[in-house]
Amino acid sequence: MTGMQDSLRELYQEVIFDHNRNPRNYRPLPAASHHADGHNPLCGDQLTVYLQVADGVVREASFVGHGCAISTASASLMTEAIKGKPVAEVEALFHDFHALLTDTPPPERDFGKLAVLAGVREFPVRVKCATLAWHTLHNAIVGA
């Protein structure tokens, strides 16, 4: 393994551990205009995503639930990434993030901190852990 790969793996682990130990936006959102429940029956991860959408923009986002480190960190990073973004942009980010983990990611997308979750691609059984919050977010937006 090269030094750069070692550095990326360390960053991945550091960010995952930080967001798992201290998840951002981990709370119910009483003023939520949208919410959905997500469950991964393979590992038992469960969460609820809350959104406050006004004028087509995600003004606030939060989640509650329990799951593995990757699931919790992904939900935490997701809520940070979507606040203040128009719903259409959030939906595009959902599709691009899913492609990042399962397919060929769009080359023009800057994923910011979310890019550390790309390391999950190396562990296909963990992709569902990393995408659970995102699928739940999508369901909250479309009202599924």
Side-chain angles (χ1 to χ4, degrees), residues 35-39 46-50 64 132 135-137 139-140 144:
H35 76 279
D37 298 317
H39 179 238
Q46 288 187 285
L47 57 83
T48 301
V49 170
Y50 300 96
V64 296
L132 174 63
H135 284 287
T136 308
L137 165 71
N139 290 341

Side-chain angles (χ1 to χ4, degrees), residues 2-122:
T2 68
M4 184 173 185
Q5 286 174 320
D6 283 341
S7 295
L8 287 173
R9 183 160 293 182
E10 286 175 23
L11 176 63
Y12 163 77
Q13 290 175 346
E14 185 178 312
V15 171
I16 297 296
F17 291 145
D18 178 42
H19 279 265
N20 179 53
R21 280 192 300 259
N22 303 299
R24 282 43 155 205
N25 307 301
Y26 186 85
R27 66 187 184 284
L29 191 61
S33 58
H34 298 68
H35 76 279
D37 298 317
H39 179 238
N40 181 349
L42 296 175
C43 63
D45 294 351
Q46 288 187 285
L47 57 83
T48 301
V49 170
Y50 300 96
L51 304 173
Q52 184 180 37
V53 178
D55 302 319
V57 174
V58 175
R59 303 290 181 193
E60 191 63 55
S62 69
F63 75 103
V64 296
H66 63 277
C68 68
I70 292 170
S71 176
T72 301
S74 183
S76 176
L77 286 159
M78 177 194 77
T79 59
E80 286 192 316
I82 65 172
K83 283 185 187 180
K85 290 194 170 35
V87 170
E89 188 176 331
V90 170
E91 277 288 278
L93 182 58
F94 159 70
H95 291 289
D96 290 350
F97 181 76
H98 193 267
L100 174 69
L101 298 186
T102 62
D103 200 10
T104 305
E108 68 281 356
R109 169 69 77 178
D110 176 9
F111 287 97
K113 287 183 182 180
L114 294 171
V116 300
L117 290 166
V120 172
R121 286 180 71 134
E122 295 178 36

